[in-house]
Amino acid sequence: AMASTLAVVAALAAVGSSHAFLAPAPMAFKGPMALRSTAPFRCAVPAVSRRVNAAALGLNMVSESDLKGAKEMIEGIVDKTNANPLMVRLAWHDSGTYDVNIKEWPACGGAIGSIRFDPEITHGANAGLNTAVKMLEPVKAKYPEVSYADIFQMASAAGIELAGGPKIDMKYGRVDAAGPEDCSPEGNLPDAEAGDEGKYGGAGGTASTEDTTPNGHLRKVFYRMGLNDEEIVALSGAHTLGRAWKDRSGLGVDKTKFTDGSKVARKDGKEGVGKKGGSSWTEKWLAFDNSYFTTIPDEGADKELLKLSTDKTLFGDDGFKPFAEKFRDSEEEFFKSYAAAHKKLSELGSKFEPADGIKI
């Protein structure tokens, strides 16, 4: 059964992936709390009955064993399909809608699993992410008590770790958004390049992200989430994974010598790239390391590698530059900052049951 499941998700993965927080430049994205139980279940009832009762109360009764099973299944899917960048992008675009100034859940957005619903999944910045959701549906089917929000964030952490990145101190037990009414408005995610009018972002979303500079735009997006300059730079370093697809974002080219399937892209040296094509930021775009930070400022880097405005500003902006140079010079420092920033991003807007979450 596991082999047949992996075969299905491998076929879906062939649709391809692009990287987290990469929005098409031409598109200007204008665009009841769960009850808590106050008393334990004291009667001896079958586990199934307890789960049904918990569901009726809106409680997340996910078990540690289910989470471990889901994690193992997800790791198998990611490893077989090389969908690491796609899973990172799915989770980040779910959590990246968060607005720190909105105090009500789930109106605040964030890592609440709302990206699985239309209209959010059809937002311009989320092009292609329906493939990622479909790839993870077998996990939800086998472990129905694990929330979509947990599955998405678990897949992202697995994608980083399997690519040789740092271990993320994740916790689980997220409560899912209930339906389309819980989706954030379009416009909260960042643009990679300016639109036709020379502006990044737009007036949509929960707060305007419009700016005439890439650094100003990045700050409007990430400060709205409650993130700082170090975290912006660290998370940008995840562009060491993945590719931009011309048919999705309008960026890059159809294929390069690094993405045509002729070169090994994985850090472990295994073959396989998923769908061929697209433009990558780094030569080994399925390996998580600090090569993004060594490539962007290198004027001698291969011209087929991407260097977008929101990449180059990390070495030009006075607030970003010290962190970018530190991560260029030390992969250890990058991994340390990245792991902390990824964990923070994965928990934005999340409501956990139990309140402290579950570690596995």
Side-chain angles (χ1 to χ4, degrees), residues 195-268:
D196 294 338
E197 298 180 359
K199 295 180 180 179
Y200 298 80
T206 57
S208 175
T209 63
E210 188 173 271
D211 203 278
T212 57
T213 66
N215 47 329
H217 171 61
L218 287 176
R219 285 195 172 93
K220 286 181 179 179
V221 172
F222 286 91
Y223 283 11
R224 188 207 67 237
M225 297 185 219
L227 301 176
N228 60 33
D229 284 359
E230 179 178 2
E231 291 160 338
I232 293 172
V233 179
L235 290 172
S236 295
H239 280 125
T240 190
L241 292 181
R243 300 160 284 176
W245 295 89
K246 191 174 182 179
D247 62 343
R248 295 182 185 175
S249 65
L251 302 170
V253 296
D254 292 334
K255 66 179 179 180
T256 72
K257 59 177 167 288
F258 303 112
T259 65
D260 63 5
S262 64
K263 298 182 181 295
V264 174
R266 290 175 57 131
K267 195 169 188 175
D268 59 12

Side-chain angles (χ1 to χ4, degrees), residues 95 98 109-112 153 168-172 174 341-352 356 359:
S95 57
Y98 180 66
I112 62 175
Q153 298 303 324
I168 314 297
D169 182 28
M170 300 291 289
K171 68 177 182 179
Y172 301 102
R174 292 171 184 79
H342 184 125
K343 174 180 171 61
K344 182 175 179 179
L345 179 66
S346 78
E347 297 174 7
L348 295 180
S350 296
K351 181 172 70 168
F352 290 91
D356 293 333
K359 296 287 187 74

Side-chain angles (χ1 to χ4, degrees), residues 77-78 83-92 132 135-136 152 155-156 159:
I77 291 170
V78 173
N84 312 59
L86 183 64
M87 296 306 172
V88 173
R89 181 169 168 248
L90 173 67
W92 284 24
M135 289 173 67
L136 295 172
F152 298 161
S156 176

Side-chain angles (χ1 to χ4, degrees), residues 309-330:
S309 298
T310 45
D311 302 317
K312 291 182 284 188
T313 194
L314 302 180
F315 285 90
D317 177 88
D318 289 342
F320 294 153
K321 186 176 180 180
F323 301 110
E325 291 182 338
K326 179 170 72 169
F327 300 154
R328 176 197 62 195
D329 297 339
S330 173

